[in-house]
Amino acid sequence: MVIPRTTYYRQRKRLGMVKPRSTRSSGSSSTSTESDPETKSSLTTAESILSILSLVQHHSGVNKTTLADVLRVVNLHYTGPAKERPRHLQSLYKFCKEKKECFKTDELMVIKHHVCPKCFHIFQDDELECTTSKCRQQRRYKDKKKLDPEAFFLELDAEQQIRGFFLDPKFVEALEHRDSMPCDNHIRDVQDGRLYKEHQDFFLASKYNLSITWHTDGVEVYKADEKQLWPVQGVINELPPSMRFSKKYLVLFALYYGCGKPEMTSFLTPFVMTMNKMHYSGISVQPGGTGPPQTCRVLALGCTMDLPAMAAVKNVQQFNGQFGCGLCMYEGASTASGKGHAKTYPYKAGIQRRTKQSMKEHAADACNTKKKHVKGVKGKCVVSLLLEVDISVHFLVDYMHGTCLGVMKRLVESWLDNRNKKKPFYVGNHIEEIDSRLRAISPPSAMRRFPKGLANYKMNYKASEYRDLLLFYILPVMKGILPDTYLEHLALLARGVYILCQDEIPPEEISEAKGVLEQFYKCMKDYYGSRSCTLNVHNIGDHMVECVQLAGPLFTHSCFFFEDMCGQLNRMVTGPRKPMQQIIDGIGRMREYHNAVLQAGVVSDEVNSLLQKDRRNLVPLPSGYRTASMATTLIPSAKLQTALEKVVYGDVICLQHYARIEKEGVVFTEMPDPKEEVMPDEETGLAEEQPEKKVKRHQDHFVCYEDGGEEFNGVIRHILIIHQQQGTRHLVGITPFLDNEDIDPLIGGNEDLVPHISSVKLQSELYHVVELDMMKKKLVFIPTDDERSTGYAIQLPAPYLHN
């Protein structure tokens, strides 16, 4: 007999097997939903959507599936009827629909260019057959849908991206950065370079005219796949470095994904056409989203990339070929290497530089005579069609690949290679001592990677680690291990690159850098053999200083930021299907988020804290400093009390201190003594014993500061807040370093070779108290004793170097 469902339910209820509806719970049986008070959020729909978009933006790997799950979890916390729940939280579809209604965002325009898989010829609108001479046997396609699905690249609308930047008031305000640069002979940024000054009339015509430094290179998406991702991207030079090198204001021109390199003439043709259009006709923009429209014209100022990519784009010989230098007409020499030969470039004076006219003539000769190359030029270069561009100086030397991953890496290999055991520069038998010295160094937090041992340098070392090794660590670490002759030769490279990385380079230091780098190039063959004179060494000795004079300090045209952006584009690919479409979707989400922030305007404090990347509650201090730490009461030591009496007049109501402050992302912390002497208590006459402080791996208390018109290096002991009847003062208590005459000179017999490295000793009996704005730069301190009281102090050359 079949029991009806209603009867079956009543029987179970009568037997106590079914709980009343009012006591049922979707989760745990011990808690009922009615016992929980129903709470409603005070957020508006726009604020709620914006907070969810910030989650997607600030955390990598959040795709549509993850977002849908997040919405389900949030939806579970609403206990009211389903009809009363916010629509945008009910499903991903409704979230996207509500988002479009709240925030209007233009979809990024993308043009798909189909190409011939054999010769990379771009198919026009109605073209179904490749008509180039190389592909006469290429079959004819029936329609556009039958074209090779993997033979294409994407062109992104650069005009739309730049037009969107101008809607941001912060972007428009930041364009005044170029007008705030001092007018002298010092090189501080791109605006001080010769390339920028040659187009001064172009930039004076309108304050909205822009210049771009662009880059292209290949990056592997999957380790098990031979295909590469090639983006064409650019940065806007008029922005200050902190905004210029951020993905928010990156201009993405094109994307290619396929096996090997794309054919550069076809790949870069849309980029050249777009740049010429923006330069000649301009873009109609609306600064700040209000007021009358203005015309913005854009100029391609320069480009930077590694040597293989530069040879492909410039259509010249590779670095291992005859006339492989793209900046001068040095033929090079053939040097025995292993079982074969390698192309090298030993020092040679008076080499003729390439010019725009010579490049044009050599390209025409190569095309007419059908030679492989003429003076290294294989043929015409599509970049030469850019308006107002001199191709002979448009391509700038990149020190990331050339110096860090090129010369510095090769020197380390030479020192540690067992095949060089009989050479005087071999130090492989001291590897344990070298590694222990490196691991004893505690860099400032701006240098995110800690020093690692050189034992596994081939697998573990990154370009930034080789840069830090060259600029800061290698000379003090190698002292007494590497012979003095080779250490002095290495100091030439370290000094020259350090000068060119500074945020302000006076003319006399430009001349000094040119001299030391040229001397390094001259001695390379004598010290390490002809095989070591690679094209990277040639570029350092002959062309690096010239590129700084053309386009500003090295950080303005290095590949560090562009390579980082290639990695971020790569991380947008979360699956094997349609990788370029995943990147376009990721870029679209980023634009959508930034447009939503602009359109939302003023939001609540809770939502605003989510929108900030740094979500700490920072308290403003004088001179642009901020702090997130709590001020605590400080009992002054006798030494501090004496120092305060010299600068603080009147009675002190309360003395407090902060553990940490920061300014424009640069962190300063105080470092008290492990056991600090304190004043005895007035009632008991006893001094409270202080616990030992743990030494942190990052140390941000070594600074360069001014006191009485003189410059000192020292250690921050206290960041002070002094409360008096007449007001509150913020000071810094610093124990200075003084020159240590007990340590032998770093470079024997030539102390002036590396003046930026000082041998110092901590003067614990001295104590300086100065204003906050007297702190100038951070230091890297390399100790030479266990107590960390003596060592070498090196200033960070530029705050943008490690950002």
Side-chain angles (χ1 to χ4, degrees):
M1 182 179 68
V2 178
I3 301 176
R5 186 172 181 82
T6 54
T7 307
Y8 177 74
Y9 174 77
R10 288 170 184 165
Q11 289 179 358
R12 287 172 55 83
K13 185 177 180 181
R14 187 170 59 251
L15 294 173
M17 299 173 65
V18 178
K19 293 182 180 180
R21 292 183 182 273
S22 60
T23 61
R24 288 190 199 172
S25 173
S26 58
S28 174
S29 60
S30 62
T31 307
S32 67
T33 56
E34 286 193 355
S35 63
D36 296 332
E38 184 177 347
T39 58
K40 292 185 178 180
S41 173
S42 60
L43 298 180
T44 64
T45 301
E47 289 178 334
S48 177
I49 293 174
L50 193 58
S51 62
I52 295 173
L53 289 177
S54 70
L55 171 72
V56 177
Q57 178 64 21
H58 291 152
H59 297 275
S60 60
V62 179
N63 52 22
K64 290 183 179 179
T65 305
T66 311
L67 181 57
D69 290 342
V70 169
L71 294 175
R72 288 195 192 98
V73 172
V74 174
N75 201 23
L76 290 175
H77 291 74
Y78 280 88
T79 59
K83 293 182 180 180
E84 295 183 5
R85 298 174 188 175
R87 285 186 59 198
H88 66 281
L89 298 178
Q90 294 177 11
S91 67
L92 181 62
Y93 169 77
K94 292 181 180 180
F95 174 81
C96 296
K97 188 176 180 180
E98 288 286 324
K99 179 182 63 177
K100 290 180 181 179
E101 292 178 2
C102 288
F103 306 110
K104 307 297 181 184
T105 302
D106 295 334
E107 186 176 353
L108 181 61
M109 298 296 295
V110 179
I111 302 174
K112 189 175 185 179
H113 294 283
H114 289 279
V115 296
C116 172
K118 187 175 181 181
C119 68
F120 218 80
H121 165 72
I122 300 178
F123 289 113
Q124 301 303 322
D125 295 337
D126 300 327
E127 193 176 6
L128 298 175
E129 182 179 11
C130 186
T131 57
T132 59
S133 58
K134 297 179 182 178
C135 298
R136 286 177 179 174
Q137 304 300 322
Q138 182 72 21
R139 65 183 179 88
R140 179 180 176 84
Y141 296 95
K142 293 181 180 180
D143 53 48
K144 280 280 186 180
K145 295 181 180 179
K146 300 295 183 181
L147 294 173
D148 191 335
E150 295 187 357
F152 71 94
F153 68 90
L154 301 180
E155 177 192 357
L156 288 78
D157 192 343
E159 295 185 22
Q160 183 186 10
Q161 297 175 60
I162 294 174
R163 201 177 292 116
F165 295 159
F166 272 93
L167 296 176
D168 187 353
K170 292 182 180 178
F171 176 86
V172 179
E173 183 182 354
L175 293 181
E176 299 177 1
H177 166 71
R178 62 182 170 192
D179 299 328
S180 62
M181 303 293 290
C183 297
D184 53 24
N185 294 328
H186 292 209
I187 296 178
R188 299 178 179 85
D189 207 338
V190 180
Q191 291 79 9
D192 299 314
R194 200 162 67 240
L195 287 177
Y196 203 92
K197 291 180 177 179
E198 288 175 356
H199 298 92
Q200 199 67 33
D201 294 339
F202 171 82
F203 297 110
L204 291 176
S206 173
K207 64 179 181 179
Y208 300 118
N209 287 349
L210 306 176
S211 67
I212 282 181
T213 299
W214 62 281
H215 164 273
T216 186
D217 199 2
V219 57
E220 290 184 356
V221 179
Y222 308 109
K223 292 184 178 180
D225 195 352
E226 295 180 355
K227 294 183 178 180
Q228 294 181 336
L229 176 70
W230 282 74
V232 181
Q233 49 192 339
V235 295
I236 298 173
N237 296 318
E238 283 65 33
L239 295 175
S242 58
M243 296 176 65
R244 184 189 315 165
F245 303 120
S246 66
K247 64 179 180 180
K248 181 178 180 179
Y249 299 114
L250 178 80
V251 185
L252 195 60
F253 294 94
L255 282 173
Y256 166 76
Y257 177 72
C259 294
K261 301 175 185 176
E263 202 283 318
M264 290 300 171
T265 300
S266 298
F267 181 49
L268 295 177
T269 294
F271 163 73
V272 172
M273 294 174 64
T274 299
M275 289 301 302
N276 286 344
K277 180 184 176 184
M278 291 192 296
H279 179 78
Y280 183 77
S281 303
I283 313 169
S284 179
V285 297
Q286 193 173 21
T290 58
Q294 303 288 338
T295 300
C296 164
R297 295 170 61 199
V298 185
L299 170 70
L301 193 69
C303 69
T304 180
M305 56 196 74
D306 61 9
L307 292 179
M310 185 177 294
V313 173
K314 206 170 182 179
N315 201 12
V316 297
Q317 286 280 82
Q318 284 275 15
F319 60 93
N320 55 356
Q322 193 178 22
F323 293 99
C325 181
L327 300 174
C328 68
M329 293 185 236
Y330 189 7
E331 184 178 0
S334 183
T335 304
S337 177
K339 295 182 180 180
H341 291 77
K343 185 63 66 177
T344 57
Y345 298 84
Y347 177 78
K348 185 178 179 181
I351 303 173
Q352 184 179 358
R353 292 291 191 267
R354 296 188 189 272
T355 62
K356 184 177 182 179
Q357 185 62 29
S358 69
M359 292 284 292
K360 185 178 179 180
E361 292 174 356
H362 294 157
D365 291 345
C367 294
N368 296 333
T369 59
K370 296 185 179 180
K371 293 182 179 179
K372 288 186 178 180
H373 68 90
V374 176
K375 297 287 186 179
V377 181
K378 295 181 178 180
K380 295 180 180 178
C381 172
V382 67
V383 179
S384 63
L385 301 177
L386 286 169
L387 295 177
E388 297 191 30
V389 164
D390 183 354
I391 192 175
S392 64
V393 295
H394 186 71
F395 293 83
L396 305 168
V397 173
D398 166 47
Y399 91 103
M400 172 189 162
H401 292 98
T403 305
C404 303
L405 290 175
V407 176
M408 191 61 208
K409 182 177 181 179
R410 195 177 187 89
L411 286 174
V412 173
E413 289 176 350
S414 300
W415 299 332
L416 303 179
D417 195 341
N418 289 331
R419 292 174 294 182
N420 296 327
K421 280 186 175 181
K422 296 182 179 180
K423 302 288 179 66
F425 53 78
Y426 177 73
V427 296
N429 51 339
H430 298 281
I431 188 65
E432 293 183 2
E433 183 180 357
I434 294 171
D435 288 358
S436 65
R437 291 184 182 184
L438 282 170
R439 293 194 180 99
I441 301 171
S442 297
S445 57
M447 301 162 66
R448 299 180 182 179
R449 295 184 180 271
F450 297 116
K452 293 188 297 192
L454 294 179
N456 297 321
Y457 69 94
K458 289 185 179 180
M459 296 179 61
N460 298 334
Y461 261 64
K462 306 290 184 183
S464 59
E465 292 172 305
Y466 279 116
R467 174 194 61 197
D468 296 340
L469 192 68
L470 172 63
L471 295 180
F472 306 108
Y473 310 145
I474 196 65
L475 292 176
V477 166
M478 285 295 187
K479 177 177 169 54
I481 297 177
L482 192 68
D484 290 344
T485 305
Y486 292 89
L487 193 65
E488 185 172 347
H489 178 249
L490 178 63
L492 295 170
L493 177 64
R495 177 58 181 167
V497 176
Y498 181 90
I499 290 173
L500 301 182
C501 284
Q502 293 179 116
D503 54 359
E504 182 176 354
I505 313 174
E508 57 273 14
E509 291 193 4
I510 285 285
S511 302
E512 180 188 352
K514 186 174 181 60
V516 296
L517 292 178
E518 187 176 4
Q519 184 64 27
F520 170 81
Y521 183 20
K522 286 180 181 179
C523 299
M524 194 70 180
K525 180 180 177 180
D526 297 333
Y527 290 164
Y528 295 95
S530 300
R531 183 64 185 88
S532 63
C533 298
T534 60
L535 184 58
N536 286 325
V537 177
H538 167 74
N539 284 335
I540 289 174
D542 270 8
H543 303 306
M544 184 177 283
V545 174
E546 179 186 357
C547 288
V548 169
Q549 292 173 317
L550 285 170
L554 290 179
F555 70 83
T556 63
H557 54 271
S558 79
C559 285
F560 276 104
F561 169 70
F562 293 114
E563 293 288 336
D564 179 59
M565 285 309 305
C566 287
Q568 294 199 36
L569 293 176
N570 194 4
R571 286 191 289 273
M572 292 179 183
V573 181
T574 57
R577 294 188 59 192
K578 299 182 179 180
M580 283 212 289
Q581 185 59 48
Q582 296 181 51
I583 293 174
I584 296 298
D585 292 342
I587 295 170
R589 289 192 295 268
M590 183 177 67
R591 293 182 66 252
E592 201 172 50
Y593 168 72
H594 293 308
N595 288 337
V597 172
L598 285 177
Q599 295 177 32
V602 181
V603 295
S604 63
D605 294 338
E606 294 82 1
V607 176
N608 189 49
S609 66
L610 286 174
L611 302 183
Q612 304 299 325
K613 201 169 184 181
D614 187 353
R615 298 175 183 174
R616 296 168 297 161
N617 186 20
L618 295 171
V619 179
L621 301 176
S623 303
Y625 287 91
R626 302 182 301 171
T627 183
S629 61
M630 296 291 293
T632 55
T633 303
L634 176 67
I635 301 175
S637 63
K639 193 191 315 179
L640 174 58
Q641 187 74 38
T642 304
L644 286 175
E645 290 174 356
K646 298 178 181 179
V647 294
V648 179
Y649 304 101
D651 296 334
V652 176
I653 300 174
C654 180
L655 179 63
Q656 294 179 308
H657 70 115
Y658 289 118
R660 168 191 173 115
I661 61 174
E662 62 182 70
K663 181 178 182 179
E664 297 177 355
V666 181
V667 177
F668 299 90
T669 60
E670 61 179 24
M671 188 195 76
D673 292 327
K675 284 189 177 181
E676 188 168 341
E677 178 190 357
V678 296
M679 294 287 289
D681 186 81
E682 294 181 358
E683 297 181 359
T684 63
L686 300 175
E688 183 181 353
E689 186 177 355
Q690 300 294 313
E692 290 195 9
K693 304 291 182 180
K694 208 173 182 181
V695 177
K696 294 184 178 180
R697 194 70 172 91
H698 276 307
Q699 296 190 354
D700 293 303
H701 37 258
F702 298 109
V703 294
C704 172
Y705 67 99
E706 285 186 11
D707 186 23
E710 295 185 41
E711 193 172 276
F712 296 91
N713 297 325
V715 180
I716 300 175
R717 293 301 187 186
H718 298 102
I719 303 169
L720 303 168
I721 313 106
I722 300 174
H723 301 278
Q724 293 181 286
Q725 191 71 33
Q726 57 268 33
T728 302
R729 293 181 66 184
H730 293 78
L731 304 173
V732 185
I734 301 177
T735 300
F737 284 121
L738 295 182
D739 292 341
N740 188 4
E741 298 178 355
D742 298 334
I743 301 180
D744 294 334
L746 184 61
I747 308 298
N750 195 354
E751 298 182 21
D752 297 331
L753 186 57
V754 282
H756 62 283
I757 302 179
S758 307
S759 58
V760 294
K761 183 177 182 179
L762 190 65
Q763 302 298 312
S764 55
E765 67 276 5
L766 298 179
Y767 201 98
H768 293 170
V769 177
V770 298
E771 301 287 344
L772 280 180
D773 57 358
M774 290 293 103
M775 291 193 297
K776 300 303 178 184
K777 286 187 177 182
K778 298 280 286 294
L779 295 178
V780 178
F781 179 68
I782 301 176
T784 56
D785 63 344
D786 295 336
E787 297 179 357
R788 308 179 77 87
S789 60
T790 61
Y792 298 97
I794 311 164
Q795 294 183 19
L796 291 180
Y800 325 117
L801 188 67
H802 296 87
N803 288 352

